[in-house]
Amino acid sequence: MKSILFFLLLIIFNFQSMAQKNIPFQFGNKSVVWTNVFENKYSNVLFLNVHEDEQTSIEAIIKVSAERELNFWQLKHDSTRRISFKDNKHNMSFDPNRMFTFKGRYKTLKDGGKFTFRSNKLVKLLAEEVVSTLSSFETVVALHNNTDVNYSIKSYAEGGDEAENTSAIHISPTWDADDFIYTTDYDLFLAFKTLDLNVIYQNDKKFVNDGSLSVYCGLNNIPYVNIETQLGHLEEQIKLINLVLDVLKEK
Ligand SMILES: [Zn+2]
């Protein structure tokens, strides 16, 4: 009897240590989970994905995690960029990388069908949960993929659509223009520039408040890195993740 009890306790203990942290949210009829996929208590770096359709970035971090222990959190819902839901018969949606300021939430909910204070409150709760996760780490590394042919590091150069957000830029002659790093930390910018990566340093005085995580981190002095590659550029994204870990002196 005693040994059966011991084995039962062992099983329960093991399940608990293996359990993922899942934080559930409800938006009208839609369930969303903010989930801790990988955990390394000894690392101060947090990797995260908020656009579930950007599958290359998710594949890349899973591949890297087989070699290096890391922290990775992800938003899970419908494998789409926007989170869509029905509330009080209204069809609504928002971009989770526009939810971190009121201005961003107002615009993205309006673009998604309708802004209401009730939906703003719900979206704000999710944003606050993501932000509270950041507080346990020193550096935040967001993973993104792009598909827009008009969007690349060149968008951040003089005369480009995103030029307003740029303080400094290095365009590599060897890397594809769609594969780049965006950071709010000047020392990290210099380190990535030395490695001849495509890199943008976000303007620290004025930037467009679109409610994205880079804006939130910029406003709150949190070192933030975005590793952005073209969808399908798996090898490039794996290489960039490894280089970022090297620069941050992670194992
Ligand atoms: Zn994205």
Side-chain angles (χ1 to χ4, degrees):
M1 187 62 197
K2 255 187 182 171
S3 62
I4 291 171
L5 199 67
F6 174 75
F7 276 114
L8 274 176
L9 280 172
L10 198 70
I11 287 166
I12 290 165
F13 176 76
N14 272 335
F15 267 106
Q16 279 180 351
S17 63
M18 280 160 55
Q20 286 192 345
K21 252 178 260 162
N22 287 314
I23 302 170
F25 287 85
Q26 198 66 33
F27 294 92
N29 62 334
K30 183 60 50 70
S31 303
V32 174
V33 183
W34 175 234
T35 182
N36 186 192
V37 186
F38 302 117
E39 188 175 43
N40 174 6
K41 286 182 185 133
Y42 302 102
S43 169
N44 287 318
V45 182
L46 167 68
F47 287 90
L48 58 88
N49 170 284
V50 294
H51 288 150
E52 207 185 354
D53 61 332
E54 296 173 3
Q55 278 295 323
T56 304
S57 68
I58 298 166
E59 261 180 71
I61 196 72
I62 290 171
K63 283 254 158 76
V64 174
S65 75
E67 310 288 331
R68 306 170 88 156
E69 276 189 49
L70 44 84
N71 296 294
F72 176 51
W73 283 76
Q74 189 192 351
L75 262 187
K76 283 193 164 181
H77 48 104
D78 298 315
S79 301
T80 52
R81 177 187 180 92
R82 296 181 73 89
I83 296 176
S84 305
F85 60 104
K86 224 178 186 139
D87 197 29
N88 284 340
K89 292 180 189 158
H90 293 295
N91 285 318
M92 297 189 179
S93 84
F94 65 96
D95 181 333
N97 200 29
R98 297 289 180 270
M99 68 181 177
F100 297 98
T101 62
F102 176 77
K103 207 175 167 189
R105 288 191 296 276
Y106 181 78
K107 186 173 186 306
T108 191
L109 281 163
K110 206 163 167 263
D111 291 348
K114 193 177 170 67
F115 172 88
T116 62
F117 284 99
R118 190 181 134 88
S119 57
N120 171 58
K121 211 171 157 184
L122 289 173
V123 176
K124 191 180 174 211
L125 281 176
L126 176 61
E128 282 170 352
E129 191 61 52
V130 172
V131 162
S132 86
T133 308
L134 309 187
S135 61
S136 317
F137 300 93
E138 277 172 21
T139 311
V140 178
V141 185
L143 301 167
H144 287 276
N145 294 130
N146 56 66
T147 48
D148 185 347
V149 283
N150 297 315
Y151 180 67
S152 73
I153 188 156
K154 288 175 186 155
S155 311
Y156 293 89
E158 228 182 295
D161 291 346
E162 302 281 344
E164 259 185 282
N165 293 314
T166 310
S167 260
I169 188 166
H170 172 72
I171 300 180
S172 164
T174 47
W175 280 81
D176 188 313
D178 290 314
D179 305 331
F180 61 88
I181 288 177
Y182 182 94
T183 184
T184 63
D185 187 287
Y186 191 63
D187 291 336
L188 290 176
F189 167 80
L190 291 177
F192 299 139
K193 185 182 173 180
T194 304
L195 291 171
D196 188 32
L197 306 181
N198 284 321
V199 59
I200 302 127
Y201 170 50
Q202 175 174 278
N203 200 323
D204 53 2
K205 305 252 167 8
K206 63 170 182 67
F207 35 73
V208 181
N209 178 357
D210 61 0
S212 61
L213 192 58
S214 65
V215 161
Y216 178 87
C217 290
L219 289 169
N220 292 282
N221 293 317
I222 299 168
Y224 168 92
V225 175
N226 169 11
I227 304 178
E228 172 109 26
T229 72
Q230 191 180 317
L231 195 71
H233 283 194
L234 181 62
E235 291 310 315
E236 289 82 351
Q237 199 148 24
I238 290 171
K239 198 171 169 187
L240 289 176
I241 291 169
N242 277 313
L243 286 170
V244 166
L245 281 168
D246 294 344
V247 165
L248 294 171
K249 301 198 165 49
E250 290 286 317
K251 278 180 194 161

